[in-house]
Amino acid sequence: MLAEARGFAGKLAFKGHDSAMRPIFLCLIAVAGLAAADLPRPPAKPVAIRKELLFSDDFQGAAPSPLWHRVVDTFVIQEGVLLGSQTRVSDQTAPDGRVVKAHAAVHGLELPTRDSVVECRIRMDGATMVDVEFTDRKYTGSHYGHICRAQVRPTGVTLIDERDGNMRSDIYEMKKDPAKKAKVAQLVAGRQVTYPLKIEAGRWYDLMVETAGDEMRVLLDGKAVAYLKSSGIAHATKSKIELGVAGQTGRFDDIKVWNAAPSLK
């Protein structure tokens, strides 16, 4: 699976700290269990070329943009940043008998794109994961219209093609059957990649997510840290951008979204 993955190396910036950068690739090499040498070295050039700015929010306004909306609790604007905390931490039985599954906190931005560049600042203050996800709720070929996402965890960055990978409708149903575990692994091979990287709690990072055609590249503090080429990323209508937080607590600030076009190779 690693041989099929693609990788880039990313961009890191902080809020309220000095601007001295620490070498990210040393962190990649230092993480045990997944050797950085086994991952393809990322291309230096962007996969997406920015066009017009579609949206920006520094969360300083008196009222949030009407494009934002609640998906899964709980997100609040606090001290000029968007703060997310997972409150559905375990499965619960609703009064009508339905089982409400544990779920990361999710905040949605109704902003249709095809190819785009999403830039924001992130900080993990106890969160186990923060992410930027693209969905199309009208698409029925994947669970809940999931298309693709970029996840940042304390130990690395993961890119996932969900449309043609783990959230594809038939694969999603197969995952419920332990006897089909090997078949699922075969079907999702090459649809997900994780690049080991140490992310410090309590520190602001600049995150950039590029999607163009069937490629996704992630940068932290100006250095490309992860890359994936997979067919589901090329979904024509990504109708919504969602921000997610698992655990306690994750922060987002200074989000910008540009329309984009694939870069010329």
Side-chain angles (χ1 to χ4, degrees):
M1 180 172 175
L2 290 176
E4 298 174 328
R6 304 290 189 271
F8 273 84
K11 159 184 174 193
L12 201 62
F14 5 110
K15 181 178 186 178
H17 295 268
D18 65 56
S19 59
M21 290 188 180
R22 301 179 183 178
I24 289 179
F25 281 114
L26 292 180
C27 296
L28 288 171
I29 295 171
V31 177
L34 183 61
D38 293 335
L39 295 169
R41 189 168 182 84
K45 295 182 179 180
V47 301
I49 302 302
R50 296 183 193 183
K51 299 170 72 176
E52 69 272 20
L53 181 66
L54 300 176
F55 179 84
S56 66
D57 197 344
D58 62 4
F59 306 106
Q60 298 293 328
S65 167
L67 296 181
W68 289 115
H69 66 281
R70 170 191 171 276
V71 181
V72 180
D73 289 334
T74 301
F75 270 86
V76 296
I77 296 175
Q78 187 176 95
E79 298 179 349
V81 301
L82 182 66
L83 185 150
S85 295
Q86 182 179 2
T87 50
R88 280 172 50 179
V89 295
S90 60
D91 295 353
Q92 301 290 332
T93 302
D96 62 2
R98 291 181 301 110
V99 175
V100 180
K101 305 292 288 184
H103 202 289
V106 182
H107 207 52
L109 180 64
E110 291 284 354
L111 191 67
T113 62
R114 179 170 185 164
D115 300 323
S116 67
V117 176
V118 178
E119 187 177 279
C120 62
R121 301 200 300 159
I122 60 170
R123 196 173 95 182
M124 303 180 76
D125 293 316
T128 57
M129 182 278 295
V130 299
D131 72 358
V132 174
E133 181 186 2
F134 300 88
T135 64
D136 179 1
R137 292 290 184 258
K138 293 182 179 180
Y139 180 67
T140 59
S142 66
H143 175 66
Y144 209 49
H146 290 292
I147 303 302
C148 58
R149 73 172 71 209
Q151 298 180 326
V152 180
R153 300 179 184 275
T155 57
V157 177
T158 298
L159 306 185
I160 310 172
D161 170 2
E162 297 182 305
R163 192 198 76 171
D164 295 344
N166 63 335
M167 290 292 177
R168 199 178 79 186
S169 295
D170 59 330
I171 296 175
Y172 185 81
E173 291 304 315
M174 288 173 63
K175 289 193 299 181
K176 299 175 183 179
D177 183 353
K180 296 180 179 179
K181 184 176 180 179
K183 180 62 175 178
V184 168
Q186 180 183 23
L187 291 172
V188 301
R191 303 296 184 183
Q192 175 173 328
V193 62
T194 296
Y195 282 76
L197 176 64
K198 179 177 173 57
I199 301 296
E200 296 181 22
R203 176 174 167 183
W204 283 99
Y205 292 86
D206 283 347
L207 171 68
M208 184 184 297
V209 180
E210 301 174 338
T211 56
D214 61 358
E215 298 175 281
M216 177 185 291
R217 186 175 80 141
V218 167
L219 296 91
L220 286 174
D221 277 357
K223 296 182 183 295
V225 292
Y227 172 83
L228 177 65
K229 181 179 176 67
S230 187
S231 56
I233 299 169
H235 189 76
T237 305
K238 302 173 180 74
S239 60
K240 185 187 297 187
I241 297 169
E242 295 182 336
L243 307 180
V245 173
Q248 315 288 321
T249 298
R251 289 174 166 82
F252 294 87
D253 199 3
D254 298 326
I255 184 168
K256 297 180 178 68
V257 182
W258 286 268
N259 189 20
S263 61
L264 298 177
K265 305 297 183 184

